[in-house]
Amino acid sequence: MKKIVLFAIVALGCMLAGVSCAEDDLNPNSVIVEVTSEPTPLDAWLYDNFVTPYNIEFAYRYQDMESDMTYNLTPASYEKAVQMAKLVRHLCLQSYDEITGSEEFIRNYFPKMIYLVGSPAYNNNGTVILGTAEGGTKITLYAVNRMDPTDVDLLNEWYFKTIHHEFAHILHQTKPYSTDFDQITGTSETSRYVGNACWDVYATESAALKAGFISRYAATSADEDFVELISIYVTNTAATWSSKLSTAGTTGRSMIEEKFEIAYKYMQNEWNIDLDQLREVVLRRQAEVPSMDLDTL
Ligand SMILES: [Zn+2]
């Protein structure tokens, strides 16, 4: 029986902006001792494959400072970190490299840090957070120790759709999309369900589709709607996309299609990225996962 997991992807703005600290004379004997750890083979691999080409830090060691203290979290295991590093590179970073023709796009726009947490982050209402992005600078991936690299659907649902989702946020925060987008759903209180309300209002994906949302979470805001359309489109086959549209029925379908048209043109015109091409590349790379050696560096 397939376990159904509710999830929420929460984008947290950095609330620390604008807070400055008064400078006092510091005691030269700091009480904060820097934790040093032995370099591993993964560190060397990451230097060659993340830092040098993209200037991205792939942080797999648990750091209190980088973690959300609201949750009980555990570190990612070394083995899972190795697998995740290879998968993120193959399925996400190199997909964009392939269609843009260079590593520059990722180097310029992708968050500078990917942070791994071994355990999921549970909310009080039973939802679980799979990924967060903060101010365009860092993506956190949770539940890494539960990752099963042989289950591509679950990989997508839990991690790679999340990464495309968060990356699309950075793109629209860099160059805004047309305000026409939000007019399609409408901006009234009954059209958008802020926070966790989307999970209550749309008890099933089918209910959300019929209301013109590609996912339940897409009902949260125009920005979430926009990036859910992009990330779900590029990580699913044309057949899956069509079946979602048929579930949506006449009204839901026309709203989703109209919104997707805006997202598609935006990616094409602003970033020179054809989402059909990106999907083709992402799906081909997904199909390559079973034959990849994910454990040897
Ligand atoms: Zn989001």
Side-chain angles (χ1 to χ4, degrees), residues 6-248:
L6 292 179
F7 69 97
I9 301 157
V10 180
L12 300 172
C14 179
M15 285 177 286
L16 294 174
V19 177
S20 60
C21 306
E23 281 190 40
D24 293 322
D25 287 336
L26 293 174
N27 180 336
N29 303 314
S30 174
V31 292
I32 299 164
V33 180
E34 205 182 319
V35 179
T36 51
S37 42
E38 285 295 305
T40 63
L42 178 56
D43 291 327
W45 189 90
L46 288 171
Y47 186 79
D48 291 341
N49 293 285
F50 277 72
V51 178
T52 305
Y54 306 114
N55 194 24
I56 292 174
E57 180 187 0
F58 190 87
Y60 64 94
R61 291 183 177 90
Y62 191 78
Q63 303 164 38
D64 269 347
M65 259 181 66
E66 297 295 346
S67 307
D68 188 331
M69 303 305 260
T70 325
Y71 304 99
N72 276 322
L73 302 172
T74 58
S77 76
Y78 182 80
E79 291 70 25
K80 290 293 175 192
V82 170
Q83 294 178 344
M84 189 56 106
K86 296 189 96 173
L87 286 168
V88 168
R89 174 173 175 258
H90 184 76
L91 292 174
C92 291
L93 310 185
Q94 291 185 331
S95 293
Y96 289 95
D97 293 354
E98 192 175 327
I99 61 153
T100 60
S102 85
E103 291 157 344
E104 203 140 319
F105 185 66
I106 290 292
R107 195 185 310 127
N108 287 343
Y109 299 107
F110 201 83
K112 291 291 166 240
M113 180 192 258
I114 298 169
Y115 178 62
L116 302 189
V117 174
S119 52
Y122 291 102
N123 290 317
N124 290 337
N125 65 0
T127 58
V128 46
I129 295 175
L130 300 182
T132 57
E134 288 166 46
T137 56
K138 172 181 143 192
I139 288 180
T140 302
L141 297 175
Y142 293 90
V144 170
N145 292 346
R146 295 188 181 187
M147 178 184 65
D148 173 3
T150 64
D151 188 339
V152 173
D153 287 343
L154 209 63
L155 282 180
N156 253 339
E157 185 67 20
W158 278 48
Y159 309 105
F160 299 104
K161 195 210 113 194
T162 304
I163 296 176
H164 290 288
H165 172 117
E166 301 300 357
F167 189 31
H169 273 312
I170 292 168
L171 297 181
H172 78 68
Q173 284 158 5
T174 308
K175 296 183 190 181
Y177 54 87
S178 160
T179 49
D180 293 348
F181 182 87
D182 208 20
Q183 301 309 314
I184 298 165
T185 288
T187 49
S188 71
E189 271 179 38
T190 50
S191 334
R192 294 287 180 197
Y193 302 97
V194 179
N196 285 317
C198 62
W199 308 108
D200 303 327
V201 176
Y202 299 115
T204 59
E205 187 191 79
S206 149
L209 286 165
K210 285 179 171 51
F213 299 111
I214 196 64
S215 69
R216 297 163 71 196
Y217 192 63
T220 313
S221 69
D223 286 352
E224 298 307 335
D225 203 354
F226 189 76
V227 303
E228 282 285 275
L229 284 163
I230 293 173
S231 58
I232 291 173
Y233 191 80
V234 301
T235 52
N236 285 284
T237 61
T240 305
W241 183 261
S242 301
S243 95
K244 285 179 191 293
L245 293 183
S246 17
T247 307

